[in-house]
Amino acid sequence: MRWRSLVIGLVVLRLSVSCVLWLAFGLGPNLSLGFNFHLNFNLHKLDLLFREETPTESSKGSSWSQRIHGPKYEETAATCAKAGEEPPKKKKSSYLRLFDGSEDEYARRYSSFPDALKSKMKEMAREMFYFGYDNYMKYAFPEDELNPIDCKGRGPDALNPSNININDVLGNYSLTLIDTLDTLLVLGNVSEFQRAVKLVIETVSFDKDSTVQVFEANIRILGSLISAHILLTDPKQPFGKVNFEGYENELLHLAHDLAVRLLPAFEHTDTGIPYPRVNLKTGVPPDSINETCTAGAGSLLVEFGILSRLIGDSTFEWVARRAVRALWRLRSNETGLLGNVINIQTGQWVGKQSGLGAGMDSFYEYLLKSYILFGEEEDNQMFQAAYESIQNHLRRGRDLCNEGEGDPPLYVNVNMNSGEIINTWIDSLQAFFPGLQVLNGDVDNAICLHAFYYAIWKRFGALPERYNWQLQAPDVHFYPLRPELVESTYLLYQATKNPFYLHVGMDILQSLEQTTKVRCGYATLHHVVEKSKEDRMESFFLSETCKYLYLLFDENNPLHKSGHKYIFTTEGHIVPIDKRFREKQWDDLFPCEEGTPSETESNNPSHPSNTSNCNRIPVEQRFALPLKSVYMKQIDHMVGLF
């Protein structure tokens, strides 16, 4: 009898504890929503807790888990109001109630930004750039990069040709100096810009036995040479008198020489999709692989197209556009999505992951930017179709950023054919996407996705290379001083003029100063939690990260005040939106093929404007927080900030 009483007592105790947990948090042991990818936020359990018996509106795809596997519990049946009756008012009945009451906290922190503080941050960004640049010139030039901890230069890894992490980028051609040219003009240093241009002309040659990635050489070297040449020869001289006597288009000649050395990548491929690497002296290496990523092959059109239109030679734009069209024709018939790795000979997708980060990012970016620059309707139609597929298959969460119930919008990685989620991480390169959404006029979605990445930054003081949204933890811990979050912050500030984004920029700037500054520059974070460092300062830190930070706080920069319109390449190089680039000196040698949009096949007749999107922002969002406080706190909670 004694053991029977003990068993009964234990059962009663367990039931009592379960009831208490259920009433408090909805965490009873028998609760199971059937999710294979448990979000670990306990948000849906809290949602159940606060459901009312009053009718509720269904929200298509209101939670990431529902969008992944479909709803696992019954929604309360909707009722129709009788004629003449007022529809029942919807009560605020979800877990979002838990985040109420903190509006003042967020408003106090983010709703204003004094001019004096803006000037201080601008000067801090300037000093950050020069600390890195001056030490590169002192300790590393003419090598490609600076090792900021050892205060030495870094070039290709000749002893280990398979070290593509280094050799894809470093070609023994003074990479950091070239990549930084237009940043000097943004900071107003005309004399140093002219000196740097002369150094490049005098010392740089591409006749090197260096095997480099076509994509990296294109965006970092070719793009910068073209940008600097355009700014040098612009008759309007918006950055001051930057031209100098004796300049005879040498930067353009160097750009042409490099592009010619990249052309062998496009030869001997059955699809027209280029090989990923070339040797600058000998062409495609005999042991080159037949696989490349979508972004690497499909993000050459801006630089190659501008070069073609500057020199009147269609070859470069032709091969770049052929690669884009080839990739586009190979997208999924079911979803309209592309994979991330493809065989350039067979056209078969080797990697079927479709996302917005590594391997995919700049492909989408250059569809839209090519349209803005060149005015080719085909580019706009491809981008709008791709964007629709992204919204339909990659986007999870509630329908609206600033309204409704459910999880915040998030773009996940899916299978290109089925649209089903294939992992639970996102990577830091995806943080560029809010900026692209701004260019496309979708500022509302941009605000929400940017807020998610900013919350991750607030938690770690950096963006881990991969972040697992299910585990609320980094999957890959390093941060190589990437610019993507800063870029989106800058573009959102230009679109909204909301002081919130100045605070974001200040947080980023201060984090970089506190955790990455070393003896001779700024170092890659090896581990965003432990803050251990690697001895590398990639060139994009000076060409992009510092540039966007400085521009964010410099309202009176010529880039903003000259009256001209500019666009940034994927490496942050400045290119004017110029009618010269909308004119071709040749007939269309490559008419549309099957599978590419024709002039009359536009599903979306509206074109992105080259003007500010400020008129698309509700008036209250220009002055209040861009995202309601309740949603900001929700996102902070989701990444583990509290």
Side-chain angles (χ1 to χ4, degrees):
M1 293 297 293
R2 188 172 298 174
W3 67 266
R4 187 176 300 172
S5 300
L6 180 62
V7 170
I8 293 172
L10 289 174
V11 170
V12 171
L13 177 63
R14 177 177 173 82
L15 290 174
S16 300
V17 171
S18 298
C19 289
V20 170
L21 289 173
W22 171 259
L23 290 172
F25 302 106
L27 299 178
N30 293 323
L31 179 66
S32 174
L33 301 182
F35 298 148
N36 293 332
F37 294 95
H38 174 54
L39 295 183
N40 203 29
F41 302 142
N42 294 325
L43 301 187
H44 305 296
K45 298 176 182 179
L46 292 168
D47 192 28
L48 286 171
L49 172 63
F50 288 107
R51 283 182 181 274
E52 304 279 351
E53 293 184 358
T54 53
T56 60
E57 298 175 5
S58 62
S59 178
K60 179 184 177 184
S62 62
S63 80
W64 301 344
S65 299
Q66 285 179 300
R67 292 289 297 273
I68 294 167
H69 297 292
K72 297 294 182 181
Y73 52 84
E74 300 243 344
E75 299 286 346
T76 305
T79 59
C80 297
K82 296 180 181 179
E85 289 185 355
E86 289 289 328
K89 292 183 179 180
K90 185 175 183 295
K91 295 182 181 180
K92 195 167 190 178
S93 58
S94 81
Y95 63 87
L96 290 176
R97 282 168 47 189
L98 294 182
F99 305 124
D100 280 349
S102 58
E103 285 82 354
D104 290 344
E105 168 195 342
Y106 285 87
R108 280 195 301 269
R109 179 175 180 186
Y110 294 118
S111 60
S112 65
F113 202 91
D115 288 342
L117 186 57
K118 191 185 301 182
S119 297
K120 181 180 179 181
M121 292 301 106
K122 171 185 165 183
E123 187 57 31
M124 189 173 174
R126 181 199 298 273
E127 291 173 357
M128 175 175 285
F129 170 81
Y130 281 116
F131 186 70
Y133 175 79
D134 290 345
N135 279 306
Y136 165 77
M137 295 303 296
K138 180 178 180 180
Y139 296 109
F141 176 79
E143 295 195 68
D144 288 309
E145 287 181 351
L146 169 68
N147 288 350
I149 297 175
D150 289 343
C151 301
K152 295 179 180 178
R154 179 200 292 266
D157 188 353
L159 298 178
N160 184 13
S162 64
N163 184 4
I164 59 176
N165 182 47
I166 296 296
N167 294 332
D168 272 359
V169 178
L170 309 188
N172 195 22
Y173 37 37
S174 300
L175 169 64
T176 297
L177 178 64
I178 294 177
D179 209 3
T180 303
L181 289 175
D182 64 338
T183 309
L184 292 166
L185 284 185
V186 167
L187 270 66
N189 197 338
V190 173
S191 60
E192 182 61 19
F193 170 77
Q194 293 173 337
R195 185 178 83 92
V197 168
K198 292 173 183 176
L199 276 175
V200 170
I201 293 171
E202 293 167 1
T203 64
V204 172
S205 168
F206 298 120
D207 190 26
K208 300 286 178 66
D209 185 20
S210 298
T211 298
V212 297
Q213 192 184 84
V214 174
F215 169 76
E216 295 289 358
N218 173 66
I219 66 170
R220 300 203 199 197
I221 300 293
L222 184 63
S224 186
L225 291 171
I226 291 172
S227 171
H229 166 76
I230 293 171
L231 297 175
L232 262 170
T233 57
D234 186 345
K236 299 174 184 176
Q237 297 284 283
F239 291 93
K241 191 179 184 308
V242 302
N243 206 341
F244 55 86
E245 187 176 351
Y247 177 70
E248 297 180 352
N249 300 330
E250 289 93 342
L251 296 184
L252 183 60
H253 298 324
L254 279 170
H256 186 202
D257 177 48
L258 176 60
V260 169
R261 295 173 187 273
L262 299 179
L263 281 180
F266 296 87
E267 299 172 1
H268 309 300
T269 77
D270 293 340
T271 61
I273 300 170
Y275 285 92
R277 298 173 182 86
V278 295
N279 183 284
L280 295 177
K281 191 182 281 282
T282 63
V284 177
D287 60 348
S288 181
I289 62 173
N290 289 327
E291 297 173 3
T292 191
C293 68
T294 302
S299 305
L300 308 171
L301 185 53
V302 166
E303 291 84 0
F304 273 43
I306 294 173
L307 179 63
S308 279
R309 295 177 190 230
L310 284 174
I311 66 177
D313 182 348
S314 65
T315 303
F316 306 99
E317 181 174 342
W318 188 85
V319 296
R321 190 169 290 281
R322 180 179 62 170
V324 171
R325 287 172 168 172
L327 289 165
W328 185 251
R329 288 195 303 273
L330 294 168
R331 71 195 186 280
S332 169
N333 292 328
E334 299 297 324
T335 64
L337 298 172
L338 294 83
N340 60 340
V341 180
I342 196 165
N343 186 298
I344 66 173
Q345 303 296 353
T346 66
Q348 297 295 312
W349 290 103
V350 179
K352 294 184 171 64
Q353 175 176 304
S354 191
L356 299 175
M360 300 288 298
D361 49 356
S362 53
F363 174 79
Y364 299 120
E365 177 185 2
Y366 269 23
L367 289 179
L368 181 57
K369 290 184 176 179
S370 294
Y371 169 66
I372 293 172
L373 280 172
F374 306 132
E376 299 284 350
E377 183 59 32
E378 173 192 2
D379 298 330
N380 180 53
Q381 292 169 13
M382 285 190 286
F383 175 79
Q384 297 303 334
Y387 194 73
E388 182 178 358
S389 295
I390 289 168
Q391 295 297 99
N392 288 338
H393 298 288
L394 271 63
R395 189 183 185 277
R396 300 293 193 271
R398 60 177 176 267
D399 287 341
L400 299 177
C401 171
N402 249 323
E403 298 291 339
E405 305 282 341
D407 297 327
L410 182 70
Y411 295 83
V412 298
N413 299 319
V414 303
N415 180 284
M416 64 174 289
N417 294 312
S418 67
E420 294 179 354
I421 191 168
I422 60 175
N423 55 51
T424 58
W425 54 260
I426 52 178
D427 66 49
S428 64
L429 288 169
Q430 185 183 315
F432 92 99
F433 198 65
L436 188 64
Q437 290 178 307
V438 169
L439 288 183
N440 193 45
D442 190 1
V443 181
D444 192 60
N445 271 310
I447 285 170
C448 247
L449 183 58
H450 174 274
F452 185 77
Y453 273 94
Y454 174 49
I456 298 172
W457 184 284
K458 284 193 292 184
R459 180 176 173 190
F460 299 106
L463 278 187
E465 194 72 350
R466 284 184 184 176
Y467 176 79
N468 192 308
W469 47 262
Q470 179 191 13
L471 302 177
Q472 299 182 348
D475 274 354
V476 179
H477 289 81
F478 76 89
Y479 169 66
L481 310 176
R482 290 200 188 279
E484 283 75 18
L485 179 60
V486 188
E487 174 187 5
S488 290
T489 302
Y490 165 69
L491 291 171
L492 272 164
Y493 180 67
Q494 290 302 308
T496 66
K497 294 301 180 184
N498 196 299
F500 170 79
Y501 297 106
L502 298 175
H503 284 277
V504 175
M506 181 172 67
D507 284 354
I508 294 172
L509 189 56
Q510 291 175 337
S511 295
L512 290 171
E513 191 71 19
Q514 292 166 6
T515 63
T516 71
K517 189 174 185 178
V518 292
R519 187 157 61 110
C520 293
Y522 295 85
T524 292
L525 285 182
H526 176 73
H527 198 290
V528 296
V529 178
E530 299 171 357
K531 300 298 186 288
S532 55
K533 299 175 180 63
E534 295 180 16
D535 196 8
R536 188 175 186 187
M537 186 179 79
E538 294 220 38
S539 65
F540 53 65
F541 175 69
L542 298 180
S543 71
E544 296 185 81
T545 308
C546 291
K547 178 186 293 168
Y548 288 126
L549 282 170
Y550 183 81
L551 284 171
L552 177 64
F553 298 108
D554 187 14
E555 297 278 2
N556 296 316
N557 195 278
L559 204 65
H560 303 144
K561 295 293 186 180
S562 67
H564 308 305
K565 297 182 178 68
Y566 297 90
I567 201 165
F568 295 94
T569 70
T570 195
E571 185 71 8
H573 298 306
I574 300 166
V575 177
I577 299 172
D578 194 312
K579 65 179 182 180
R580 289 180 298 166
F581 304 142
R582 295 192 167 224
E583 300 170 354
K584 295 182 290 189
Q585 301 175 34
W586 58 85
D587 295 328
D588 191 354
L589 302 178
F590 198 167
C592 288
E593 299 179 3
E594 184 180 354
T596 58
S598 66
E599 288 289 330
T600 59
E601 289 180 341
S602 177
N603 294 325
N604 185 353
S606 62
H607 299 166
S609 170
N610 291 337
T611 60
S612 169
N613 283 314
C614 292
N615 60 332
R616 306 183 190 205
I617 309 298
V619 173
E620 63 272 15
Q621 283 183 240
R622 301 186 205 177
F623 305 103
L625 296 171
L627 187 62
K628 292 176 182 176
S629 293
V630 64
Y631 295 127
M632 280 194 179
K633 190 165 186 179
Q634 179 196 26
I635 290 174
D636 285 353
H637 176 68
M638 287 170 52
V639 302
L641 278 171
F642 65 91

